[in-house]
Amino acid sequence: MSLLDSASHRRLNQLTGEWVLVSPHRTSRPWQGQVEKVRHADRPRYDPTCYLCPGNERANGERNQPYKGVFAFDNDFAALTSQASAQNVVHDGLLVALSEPGRCRVLCFSERHDLTLSRMSVAEIDPVIEAWREETMRLGALDMINYVQIFENRGAAMGASNPHPHCQIWATHSIPNEAVKESIRQSAYLERNGSCLLCDYLALELRRAERIVCRNDHFVALVPFWAIWPFETMVLPTRHIGAFDELAAEEASAFADILRRLTIRYDNLFETDFPYSMGFHQRPTDGAPHAGWHFHAHFYPPLLRSASVRKFMVGFEMLGEPQRDITPEAAAARLREVSEIHYLDRTV
Ligand code: H2U
Ligand code: ZN
């Protein structure tokens, strides 16, 4: 037994510079708290009341095209608008505010209301990746946009407002906090070591193998050494790619493959529609080279022990720092153990 699997310790997140507290001895404590409802994947292929299904009316009265495959539109309740001018400033001593222009988009992965990434084929996910690339490039090319954040909230437990497979894209004038932290750490590492932080980290993880979940020729899915959420993962390209625009065709397909396999493993873990927030971190679009930036996806799933018991980020996590019980190594082993055939497709 080493320090890492028996005694309380802190691990450093190399991407953000923040620490996470790990308490491996605590996993056997009893649970009498909230129980999440288990959701069964028994949705219809088309839901006449869904505002994302083809041909249906959205909340603002506009009608979706009778689309097949991917479909993107401007968010009707956008958190950011292009009207806000970046010049507007409030600076009164300790009161500092800056207006924030931007764009918000919604992107449906499929016309099918009942699908999820885990239930789509690689051929069906390919156009989703192409749309992520196009949206990134088109929005990133706008003068006022310096960062493009793509994210998916999946499941009611993560606040998704609708089960129809979709993600959101928020393109901002400012680089948001999480991306700033990772940017600073990645460029400092490059300056200090002359190599990329995530290239070096990935090489180390591949050597040790204990936190790898699955891989293919171009991508690796792993539980980061510093993971906060019980089954948190990161997906990294093996080549040093900064953003979607650098993905070669075979890499895009390999990305579809790994996203499909990882989300199937997630669903199989507790035989449920596994909830998560996931998204991509990529090079800012402010025109600077950002040579240290290594493109990656983060999956932040809340479930802890079953389809009904989730982790809460409260108490010490809110006031002190994130804490976890199950170790990243144990979580990776659990994710490795489960099948890559979706439980709903199993014949026996
Ligand atoms: P979430 O499920 O992650 O909340 O994403 C759904 C988004 O869809 C949400 O941001 C938008 C909401 O503003 N939306 C529309 O743009 N039009 C609608 O008719 C309803 C929801
Ligand atoms: Zn729908």
Side-chain angles (χ1 to χ4, degrees), residues 244-319:
F244 269 109
D245 59 352
E246 290 174 52
L247 271 185
E250 69 274 15
E251 287 167 330
S253 256
F255 194 32
D257 169 75
I258 201 112
L259 291 178
R260 177 173 177 275
R261 288 165 54 197
L262 177 62
T263 52
I264 289 175
R265 284 176 183 274
Y266 272 149
D267 282 6
N268 283 344
L269 191 64
F270 300 130
E271 302 212 337
T272 193
D273 266 4
F274 199 80
Y276 56 70
S277 260
M278 76 88 148
F280 312 115
H281 277 155
Q282 50 180 338
R283 172 184 6 91
T285 59
D286 56 0
H290 296 289
W293 258 97
H294 193 116
F295 173 80
H296 56 276
H298 290 285
F299 279 80
Y300 298 133
L303 294 184
L304 174 60
R305 292 188 213 188
S306 68
S308 59
V309 176
R310 62 167 292 170
K311 172 167 179 65
F312 287 96
M313 286 289 177
V314 294
F316 191 79
E317 279 96 344
M318 282 182 126
L319 293 148

Side-chain angles (χ1 to χ4, degrees), residues 51-52 57-61 73-78 105-106 151-154 158-164 166-168 170:
Y51 54 74
L52 297 180
E57 194 174 297
R58 297 208 301 274
N60 68 348
F73 61 91
D74 283 336
N75 196 314
D76 303 314
F77 307 95
R105 309 262 296 157
V106 179
F151 62 94
E152 177 191 9
N153 291 321
R154 181 184 173 200
M158 288 314 281
S161 59
N162 185 317
H164 195 112
H166 69 282
C167 71
Q168 295 193 47
W170 291 23

Side-chain angles (χ1 to χ4, degrees), residues 15 182 198 201 220-224 226 232-236 262 266 294-299:
L15 266 178
E182 294 192 1
L198 287 181
Y201 174 64
V220 178
L222 54 83
V223 178
W226 51 77
E232 175 178 335
T233 55
M234 243 172 104
V235 179
L236 301 112
L262 177 62
Y266 272 149
H294 193 116
F295 173 80
H296 56 276
H298 290 285
F299 279 80

Side-chain angles (χ1 to χ4, degrees), residues 50 53 113 164:
C50 167
C53 272
H113 185 80
H164 195 112

Side-chain angles (χ1 to χ4, degrees), residues 11-293:
R11 297 188 186 191
L12 176 62
N13 182 334
Q14 293 291 358
L15 266 178
T16 62
E18 292 170 350
W19 293 84
V20 51
L21 177 63
V22 186
S23 320
H25 55 284
R26 221 169 148 253
T27 42
S28 54
R29 78 189 201 283
W31 178 261
Q32 294 182 320
Q34 178 175 325
V35 172
E36 300 286 325
K37 264 206 226 101
V38 179
R39 306 186 72 84
H40 294 287
D42 53 2
R43 292 186 290 276
R45 291 164 73 104
Y46 167 76
D47 176 352
T49 66
C50 167
Y51 54 74
L52 297 180
C53 272
N56 289 1
E57 194 174 297
R58 297 208 301 274
N60 68 348
E62 221 174 297
R63 201 164 273 286
N64 296 327
Q65 285 159 28
Y67 68 93
K68 280 222 175 299
V70 296
F71 172 62
F73 61 91
D74 283 336
N75 196 314
D76 303 314
F77 307 95
L80 299 143
T81 59
S82 16
Q83 277 84 40
S85 134
Q87 309 322 321
N88 248 329
V89 180
V90 172
H91 201 145
D92 182 6
L94 294 174
L95 309 181
V96 181
L98 205 58
S99 65
E100 181 64 17
R103 295 281 302 276
C104 292
R105 309 262 296 157
V106 179
L107 172 67
C108 300
F109 299 160
S110 163
E111 75 282 5
R112 288 261 308 265
H113 185 80
D114 58 335
L115 292 184
T116 52
L117 285 178
S118 60
R119 308 284 291 146
M120 290 166 69
S121 65
V122 168
E124 288 168 327
I125 301 174
D126 277 340
V128 179
I129 290 174
E130 186 48 34
W132 287 334
R133 179 222 303 274
E134 279 170 17
E135 291 283 333
T136 299
M137 290 178 69
R138 198 176 47 77
L139 292 164
L142 300 174
D143 266 354
M144 67 162 180
I145 299 302
N146 293 316
Y147 194 77
V148 181
Q149 183 60 59
I150 301 174
F151 62 94
E152 177 191 9
N153 291 321
R154 181 184 173 200
M158 288 314 281
S161 59
N162 185 317
H164 195 112
H166 69 282
C167 71
Q168 295 193 47
I169 304 166
W170 291 23
T172 52
H173 178 71
S174 307
I175 303 173
N177 295 343
E178 293 305 308
V180 166
K181 282 186 259 179
E182 294 192 1
S183 209
I184 290 171
R185 298 281 299 183
Q186 290 181 105
S187 57
Y189 187 92
L190 179 65
E191 201 153 298
R192 209 171 44 243
N193 301 284
S195 57
C196 159
L197 169 62
L198 287 181
C199 284
D200 288 359
Y201 174 64
L202 185 56
L204 173 65
E205 289 292 20
L206 286 171
R207 230 171 19 249
R208 297 189 67 118
E210 59 195 331
R211 281 172 294 273
I212 305 293
V213 175
C214 55
R215 63 168 302 182
N216 59 30
D217 285 348
H218 301 289
F219 280 87
V220 178
L222 54 83
V223 178
F225 179 75
W226 51 77
I228 289 173
W229 294 93
F231 293 97
E232 175 178 335
T233 55
M234 243 172 104
V235 179
L236 301 112
T238 49
R239 189 166 73 88
H240 184 70
I241 295 171
F244 269 109
D245 59 352
E246 290 174 52
L247 271 185
E250 69 274 15
E251 287 167 330
S253 256
F255 194 32
D257 169 75
I258 201 112
L259 291 178
R260 177 173 177 275
R261 288 165 54 197
L262 177 62
T263 52
I264 289 175
R265 284 176 183 274
Y266 272 149
D267 282 6
N268 283 344
L269 191 64
F270 300 130
E271 302 212 337
T272 193
D273 266 4
F274 199 80
Y276 56 70
S277 260
M278 76 88 148
F280 312 115
H281 277 155
Q282 50 180 338
R283 172 184 6 91
T285 59
D286 56 0
H290 296 289
W293 258 97

